[in-house]
Amino acid sequence: VWNNTTNLIIGRGGFGSLAITNGGHLTSDGIRLADQATSTNSILTIDGAGSSATVAGSLRIGFLGTAKMAIKNGGTLSSGSAEIGREAGAEGAVDVEGSGSTWTTTGGGLVVGNSGRGFLAIFNGGKVSSDFGGLAAQTGSYAEVGVNGTGAQWNVAQKLSVGVRGEGKLYIDAGGVVTSESSFIGDDVGSQGMVNVQGAGSTWTLTDAVAVGLGGTGILSIANGGFVSSLSGSLAGNTGSLGTVTVAGAGSKWSLADALTIGAFGEGLLEISAGGEVSNKNAIVGRNATSAGTVKVYGAGSTWTNTDSVYVGGAGTGTVILSQAGKMTVGGDLVIGANAGNPGTVIIGGKAG
């Protein structure tokens, strides 16, 4: 057992390494890996059942230099707020691997790629829990998170933002699971966010709304049996934004308990193909004056189910194209061109893609 009452720096100007193994335990007020730009490849490893670390304050992996942290084989970590790739030019990478391997941030969030480059891989049953999550927080930053394989989880109690001001990518595949309250994909102007949910058993569950392309460019791809559920959804939330959702393949589904907006203020596209499914309550395609919304449903088994009314062309431009046995059902009214001077178009039997 090592009790440290101040900040622990692993790699101030050069290489530093700390391994916690065989049931060892570390407590520290805070930890910084790669404290200076000259520090490269500094490493913190927590390996094996019973091996653990408790960090009361902040944890920064790649503060100014490059660093890696590995939690594996049942190792556990509890920390305050955490950043992977803190400053511009820094790079941090974290692996959480194996059943029983966990990382919990309490009293703060987890930021992957703050101003630098950040990478987080959760696989083979590893689990991460955080109050909130952010990928690519500042302009020029880059972040990738992968949640891969049965048992792998990232549980976010509040909002998960993918591409806050930089470029963020989240991959959920091969049975990985992510939960969050709400999400922005492509949050701020100039940002790029992408979420890919792929493979049977791969799920993303949101208890509130998901905004795809809030101020920047957002992409949500659901394929090969991936599943996403949310309270509501909005594509292209602000003027100049771009929001795209694709749902492709049998078993791939986006389920919304409430409303879906395709083109709120910007340009939104929903594409359902090859047996994909989307279901929601009511929907509007091209909501406000600056917006353009398009929905394409094509291929046998591809369905868009609306249990209430659908407006194609609200105050903006709306287009729906159904082709190659693609199907749309409407439980309420279908309104095409809701306002004077704003076109709404529905094409049945049009060209796919």
Side-chain angles (χ1 to χ4, degrees), residues 172-197:
I172 308 166
D173 55 24
V177 172
V178 173
T179 64
S180 65
E181 183 181 58
S182 59
S183 180
F184 296 159
I185 306 172
D187 192 343
D188 210 344
V189 174
S191 67
Q192 296 173 281
M194 186 277 289
V195 178
N196 188 330
V197 185

Side-chain angles (χ1 to χ4, degrees), residues 60-254:
R60 291 164 175 171
I61 303 102
F63 186 76
L64 282 168
T66 62
K68 183 172 182 177
M69 181 173 75
I71 306 167
K72 58 186 181 179
N73 300 321
T76 63
L77 169 63
S78 175
S79 72
S81 61
E83 295 170 317
I84 306 172
R86 163 68 182 179
E87 300 291 345
E91 183 171 311
V94 175
D95 290 346
V96 183
E97 174 188 2
S99 178
S101 301
T102 64
W103 181 14
T104 303
T105 68
T106 57
L110 172 56
V111 176
V112 184
N114 181 60
S115 292
R117 293 170 60 85
F119 301 87
L120 171 62
I122 308 165
F123 56 104
N124 293 342
K127 295 182 181 180
V128 175
S129 301
S130 59
D131 289 348
F132 64 86
L135 278 67
Q138 305 300 330
T139 302
S141 61
Y142 180 83
E144 281 188 23
V145 175
V147 185
N148 178 271
T150 301
Q153 296 182 22
W154 186 12
N155 298 307
V156 183
Q158 300 172 33
K159 183 173 69 176
L160 172 57
S161 292
V162 182
V164 181
R165 295 183 182 88
E167 182 180 359
K169 298 178 180 179
L170 170 60
Y171 298 93
I172 308 166
D173 55 24
V177 172
V178 173
T179 64
S180 65
E181 183 181 58
S182 59
S183 180
F184 296 159
I185 306 172
D187 192 343
D188 210 344
V189 174
S191 67
Q192 296 173 281
M194 186 277 289
V195 178
N196 188 330
V197 185
Q198 179 168 300
S202 302
T203 63
W204 184 16
T205 302
L206 303 99
T207 57
D208 206 334
V210 57
V212 184
L214 181 64
T217 298
I219 298 171
L220 171 60
S221 173
I222 307 166
N224 300 327
F227 179 75
V228 176
S229 64
S230 63
L231 177 63
S232 59
S234 175
L235 282 63
N238 287 290
T239 302
S241 62
L242 298 171
T244 300
V245 176
T246 60
V247 185
S252 303
K253 186 172 183 178
W254 184 15

